[in-house]
């Protein structure tokens, strides 16, 4: 008896143990394989077996294609046909060295076709990942929320927020989505609300005092069971302590480490700031410290257009783009981390290469990580 003659449940059990990176090639075996590889049963089996893994996604806006936004995912064993259409093509970059061209053959951002969703105006919303889903919290759209199941890349509707919010602050803390502030007609008791993906319902969260509330926030950060929100004034820099279910005010000196170029890995904050270095924040000392061992990578990061840091399954993923003649190249590096003592963390680059080449008019919008 050959493998393909086994019952579906046995085949699913085998496929669930294989990395998702190989699914594009395995889908070419037969229609049956293609159907099994896109089934929710497969991913449920992966969860039961503890075989889930982190997947990296990137959003690219194409000005040559009616300003549509395209979704790509990192694939280390891509299929040959990766281009969605001629206006946003992936092609070898003639400006790369031979070594870079060889390395990019192993790691590519591959176009992902999604269903039941318009690609436009991703920039006019918040995208935030929780588990295997990425949630879209739009601005001024009747408080509607959508989510994409990254197991089969299908969009669905989620329950609406209690009030309409324009440009709110959106964060994830302990697997729940917190939406705070924003422009809109609501009272102080509705300043913040929380969505639980498990129960698919919005929950009440105690609001801070009305004098501390603000419509627009600079940034937020969830770490160690706490949600920090940085406002434009000292009085509006706040921290929500989940276990105590209460708010406290923190000074500017304690919120200066909140940055959009940051991510949290094992309750350690990593960032890239004005120093143009990859760093981590020492909460005890109240200062940034260099992530050591990355001198060669820092040279590549110079003159970037945009940089993103992501928690890639416990490793640090660094993405950035550069304009090269008439093209835009997107780089990605995966860094293993080693904490040698309380005051020193070293990084080791496991791979670094160009993962996508697009026309220079395209824009690298954002990235996110899901677990499937």
């Amino acid at each position: 008896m050959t493998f393909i003659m086994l019952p579906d449940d046995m085949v699913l059990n085998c496929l669930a143990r294989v990395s998702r990176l190989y699914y594009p090639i395995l889908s070419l075996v037969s229609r049956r394989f293609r159907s099994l590889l896109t089934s929710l049963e497969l991913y449920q089996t992966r969860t039961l077996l503890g075989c889930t893994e982190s997947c990296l996604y990137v959003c690219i806006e194409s000005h040559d294609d009616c300003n549509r936004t395209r979704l790509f995912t990192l694939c280390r064993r891509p299929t040959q046909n990766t281009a969605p259409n001629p206006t946003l093509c992936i092609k070898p970059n003639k400006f790369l060295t031979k070594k870079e061209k060889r390395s990019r053959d192993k790691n590519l951002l591959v176009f992902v076709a999604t269903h039941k969703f318009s690609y436009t105006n991703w920039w006019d919303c918040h995208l935030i990942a929780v588990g295997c889903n990425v949630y879209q919290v739009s601005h001024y759209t009747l408080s509607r929320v959508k989510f994409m199941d990254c197991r089969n890349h299908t969009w669905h509707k989620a329950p609406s927020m209690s009030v309409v919010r324009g440009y709110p602050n959106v964060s994830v803390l302990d697997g729940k989505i917190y939406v705070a502030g924003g422009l809109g007609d609501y009272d102080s008791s509705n300043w913040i609300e929380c969505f639980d993906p498990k129960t698919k319902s919005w929950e009440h969260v105690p609001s801070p005092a009305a004098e501390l509330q603000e419509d627009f926030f600079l940034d937020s950060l969830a770490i160690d069971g706490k949600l920090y929100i940085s406002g434009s004034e000292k009085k509006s820099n706040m921290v929500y302590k989940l276990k105590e279910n209460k708010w406290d005010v923190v000074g500017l000196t304690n919120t200066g480490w909140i940055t959009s170029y940051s991510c949290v890995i094992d309750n350690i904050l990593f960032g890239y700031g004005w120093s143009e270095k990859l760093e981590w924040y020492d909460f005890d000392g109240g200062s940034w410290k260099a992530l050591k061992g990355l001198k060669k990578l820092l040279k590549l990061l110079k003159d970037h257009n945009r940089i993103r840091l992501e928690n890639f399954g416990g490793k640090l993923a660094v993405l950035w783009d550069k304009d090269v003649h008439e093209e835009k190249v997107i780089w990605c590096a995966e860094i293993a981390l080693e904490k040698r003592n309380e005051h020193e963390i070293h990084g080791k680059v496991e791979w670094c290469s160009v993962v996508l080449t697009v026309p220079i008019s395209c824009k690298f919008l954002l990235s996110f990580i899901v677990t499937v």
Side-chain angles (χ1 to χ4, degrees), residues 11-20 23 42 45-46 49 51 53:
V11 175
L12 284 172
N13 192 285
C14 294
L15 293 176
R17 301 170 189 272
V18 178
S19 172
R20 196 187 190 211
Y23 285 4
L42 172 63
T45 304
R46 286 170 63 87
L49 294 175
C51 296
E53 57 191 304

Side-chain angles (χ1 to χ4, degrees), residues 208-223:
E211 61 269 18
L212 299 179
Q213 297 178 16
E214 191 171 318
D215 295 333
F216 179 75
F217 292 92
L218 302 178
D219 238 310
S220 64
L221 173 73
I223 186 171

Side-chain angles (χ1 to χ4, degrees), residues 268 280 292-293 337-348:
I268 299 176
W280 64 280
K292 298 186 177 181
L337 302 168
E338 179 187 359
K339 187 174 183 180
R340 298 189 176 179
N341 54 58
E342 294 298 320
H343 306 287
E344 189 173 329
I345 299 180
H346 284 244
K348 179 181 179 182

Side-chain angles (χ1 to χ4, degrees), residues 143-313:
S143 69
R144 291 175 182 168
V145 179
K146 299 177 181 178
F147 71 93
M148 182 180 70
D149 187 334
C150 293
R151 296 173 296 182
N152 54 14
H153 301 115
T154 302
W155 284 90
H156 308 273
K157 291 182 179 179
S160 299
M161 292 182 286
S162 62
V163 295
V164 178
R165 301 175 187 272
Y167 303 97
N169 184 278
V170 183
S171 307
V172 172
L173 177 61
D174 195 31
K176 297 182 180 181
I177 301 173
Y178 289 78
V179 184
L183 303 174
D185 185 17
Y186 55 87
D187 58 47
S188 60
S189 64
N190 288 327
W191 182 81
I192 184 171
E193 54 188 313
C194 167
F195 180 74
D196 187 345
K198 293 182 179 179
T199 62
K200 294 182 172 57
S201 61
W202 289 91
E203 302 175 350
H204 173 74
V205 178
S207 297
E211 61 269 18
L212 299 179
Q213 297 178 16
E214 191 171 318
D215 295 333
F216 179 75
F217 292 92
L218 302 178
D219 238 310
S220 64
L221 173 73
I223 186 171
D224 196 23
K226 301 174 184 177
L227 175 62
Y228 293 87
I229 298 182
S230 175
S232 58
E233 298 181 10
K234 183 175 181 179
K235 68 176 184 178
S236 58
N237 290 284
M238 300 172 292
V239 56
Y240 174 65
K241 300 176 181 179
L242 183 61
K243 291 183 179 181
E244 301 176 30
N245 198 25
K246 72 173 187 179
W247 291 89
D248 282 331
V249 178
V250 291
L252 283 174
T253 55
N254 293 325
T255 59
W257 36 263
I258 297 181
T259 169
S260 57
Y261 301 115
S262 64
C263 74
V264 177
I265 302 176
D266 294 332
N267 276 329
I268 299 176
L269 177 65
F270 294 88
Y272 184 90
W274 294 107
S275 64
E276 295 188 342
K277 295 180 181 179
L278 288 169
E279 301 173 311
W280 64 280
Y281 191 78
D282 183 355
F283 281 86
D284 293 331
S287 62
W288 286 97
K289 294 188 175 181
L291 183 59
K292 298 186 177 181
L294 302 174
K295 290 184 179 180
K296 293 183 179 179
L297 178 62
L298 292 176
K299 292 181 180 179
L300 288 174
L301 285 172
K302 290 184 177 179
D303 302 322
H304 65 84
N305 296 329
R306 175 183 285 259
I307 188 170
R308 286 280 180 175
L309 305 184
E310 300 289 351
N311 180 352
F312 198 10

